[in-house]
Amino acid sequence: MKKAGLIIGTAGAVFAYAVWKKMQQPNFNKYSVKGKAQEKMGAAFQNDDMRVEGALNQVTGASKEVAHDIAHHTTKFVDKVLGAGSSNQVKGQAEEFIGKTTDNHMKQAEGKFDQAIGKTQAFTSDAKDKILPGEKHPKHK
């Protein structure tokens, strides 16, 4: 149990650092822009609640960007290690399971769709290997 706590704590600290680094760069997502405007308006009207809410929106925006970056890089890694389309198949299976568990038919359909996309990506990657055996693509980098 102590190892799990250490791992979760470390992951949280790394995520917080990534969010802090992201906030040092110009962000143009809707949360960051809205937050910056709220923060400035709160300062102008001396409204501490508005200033704090603006700062929170900026952190939310940076957090969403970091989470998106993590998902993107994880997908690239899984596809590289397991082959093209694997990440979509795994994501689809997870979504389908969640949909079945929560009785959410839309989530189940999204899961089946993602699995189909993953299988199509794997099929086209394999076909490309057979047609152009000397060509390098993401599966072989």
Side-chain angles (χ1 to χ4, degrees):
M1 192 65 168
K2 289 181 182 181
K3 286 183 184 178
L6 180 64
I7 291 169
I8 291 170
T10 302
V14 169
F15 186 80
Y17 176 74
V19 169
W20 177 79
K21 288 291 280 184
K22 186 67 83 173
M23 289 185 69
Q24 305 308 309
Q25 304 166 358
N27 290 316
F28 299 106
N29 66 49
K30 69 179 183 179
Y31 293 102
S32 297
V33 172
K34 177 183 174 185
K36 195 67 166 169
Q38 277 181 315
E39 187 178 27
K40 296 296 181 188
M41 292 293 288
F45 292 112
Q46 297 178 348
N47 184 337
D48 288 338
D49 290 340
M50 187 182 287
R51 237 184 57 238
V52 169
E53 188 176 342
L56 183 61
N57 276 329
Q58 291 177 66
V59 171
T60 300
S63 298
K64 285 182 180 273
E65 283 188 20
V66 168
H68 179 269
D69 292 346
I70 291 169
H72 174 73
H73 291 295
T74 302
T75 298
K76 283 176 53 177
F77 175 76
V78 169
D79 281 346
K80 189 173 184 176
V81 171
L82 300 177
S86 298
S87 60
N88 277 326
Q89 290 182 44
V90 171
K91 176 184 168 195
Q93 289 171 348
E95 284 181 332
E96 185 179 2
F97 176 76
I98 291 169
K100 284 180 182 176
T101 306
T102 60
D103 199 31
N104 184 337
H105 300 294
M106 185 63 127
K107 184 61 84 176
Q108 279 181 272
E110 288 173 8
K112 288 181 181 183
F113 182 74
D114 282 339
Q115 288 178 61
I117 288 173
K119 288 177 183 175
T120 303
Q121 288 171 331
F123 176 78
T124 55
S125 176
D126 291 343
K128 185 176 180 182
D129 284 346
K130 290 177 183 171
I131 295 169
L132 306 167
E135 288 282 320
K136 291 200 174 196
H137 55 89
K139 185 177 177 182
H140 297 293
K141 282 186 180 174

